[in-house]
């Protein structure tokens, strides 16, 4: 990868990190885990930037929030958010974006594989988030699933659909930007 392409990918990764932060401001508090658009941008980072640059994008986003900048849900920041009830979801963005990007890269960037990649990423994200929420709160598994997963399934299906369409529209634009 030449310096121009590397610079372009750094700009894209930074832009995706900024979009993740913007997605966090659109938070609907419904309990310990709010409804946010962050995960849609995490999945877009995987689809558009691939596993490595998508991972870099999420890492920049998480480090920014851990340093105290208000980029997490509700305009909050700080290490307390990462070790709090939603911390498993935040940390889960790392393997979720990597898996989404990896599957998309290997499968040829087609709509059906993009959707499959995001479904796999969502499973990983829920695994990280729900397990962490259960450990931290001591709720029963059924209660943890009730507050940490079930309310989000329909919204996440809509976000996956939107991200697949957006990725399909943006890939040609990004290719032509070289």
């Amino acid at each position: 990868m030449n310096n121009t392409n590397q610079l372009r990918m750094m700009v894209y990764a930074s832009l995706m990190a900024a979009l993740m932060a913007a997605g966090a401001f659109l938070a609907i508090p419904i309990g310990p885990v709010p409804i946010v658009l962050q995960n849609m941008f995490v999945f877009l980072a995987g689809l558009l930037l691939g596993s490595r640059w998508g991972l870099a994008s999420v890492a920049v986003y998480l480090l920014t929030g851990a340093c105290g900048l208000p980029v997490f849900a509700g305009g909050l920041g700080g290490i307390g958010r990462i070790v709090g009830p939603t911390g498993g979801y935040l940390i889960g963005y790392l393997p979720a974006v990597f898996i989404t990007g990896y599957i998309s890269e290997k499968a040829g960037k087609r709509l059906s594989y993009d959707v499959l990649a995001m479904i796999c990423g969502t499973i990983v994200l829920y695994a990280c988030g729900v397990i962490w929420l259960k450990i931290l709160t001591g709720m029963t598994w059924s209660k943890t699933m009730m507050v940490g997963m079930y309310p989000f399934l329909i919204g996440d299906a809509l976000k996956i659909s939107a991200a697949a369409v957006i990725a399909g529209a943006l890939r040609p634009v990004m290719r032509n930007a070289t």
Side-chain angles (χ1 to χ4, degrees):
M1 183 178 277
N2 66 32
N3 287 340
T4 303
N5 283 341
Q6 203 158 6
L7 177 62
R8 184 171 41 88
M9 291 307 290
M10 285 195 307
V11 169
Y12 287 152
S14 300
L15 176 60
M16 291 308 299
L19 288 171
M20 288 172 218
F25 280 97
L26 303 169
I28 302 169
I30 61 166
V33 181
I35 296 173
V36 292
L37 283 177
Q38 283 164 295
N39 50 342
M40 183 179 81
F41 294 115
V42 168
F43 295 139
L44 274 171
L47 295 177
L48 295 172
L49 306 179
S51 57
R52 281 186 38 235
W53 283 103
L55 191 63
S57 179
V58 171
V60 165
Y61 168 70
L62 292 175
L63 286 171
T64 302
C67 288
L69 290 166
V71 297
F72 296 145
L76 300 171
I79 198 75
R81 303 311 287 174
I82 293 177
V83 298
T86 59
Y89 298 96
L90 291 170
I91 296 302
Y93 287 152
L94 292 166
V97 73
F98 184 84
I99 286 169
T100 301
Y102 183 81
I103 293 171
S104 178
E105 288 166 347
K106 297 298 179 194
K109 298 179 167 106
R110 291 190 305 234
L111 179 66
S112 58
Y113 289 115
D114 285 350
V115 170
L116 176 65
M118 289 185 284
I119 289 170
C120 291
T122 300
I123 291 168
V124 169
L125 182 59
Y126 280 138
C128 295
V130 169
I131 290 169
W132 181 255
L133 185 62
K134 161 87 173 99
I135 291 168
L136 209 63
T137 64
M139 290 187 275
T140 64
W141 279 110
S142 61
K143 176 73 172 167
T144 305
M145 301 289 268
M146 198 65 88
V147 300
M149 188 176 90
Y150 297 148
F152 307 101
L153 292 174
I154 293 172
D156 285 345
L158 293 172
K159 291 177 214 171
I160 287 170
S161 299
V165 170
I166 293 167
L170 287 180
R171 278 186 181 127
V173 173
M174 291 173 68
R175 262 193 304 266
N176 292 334
T178 57

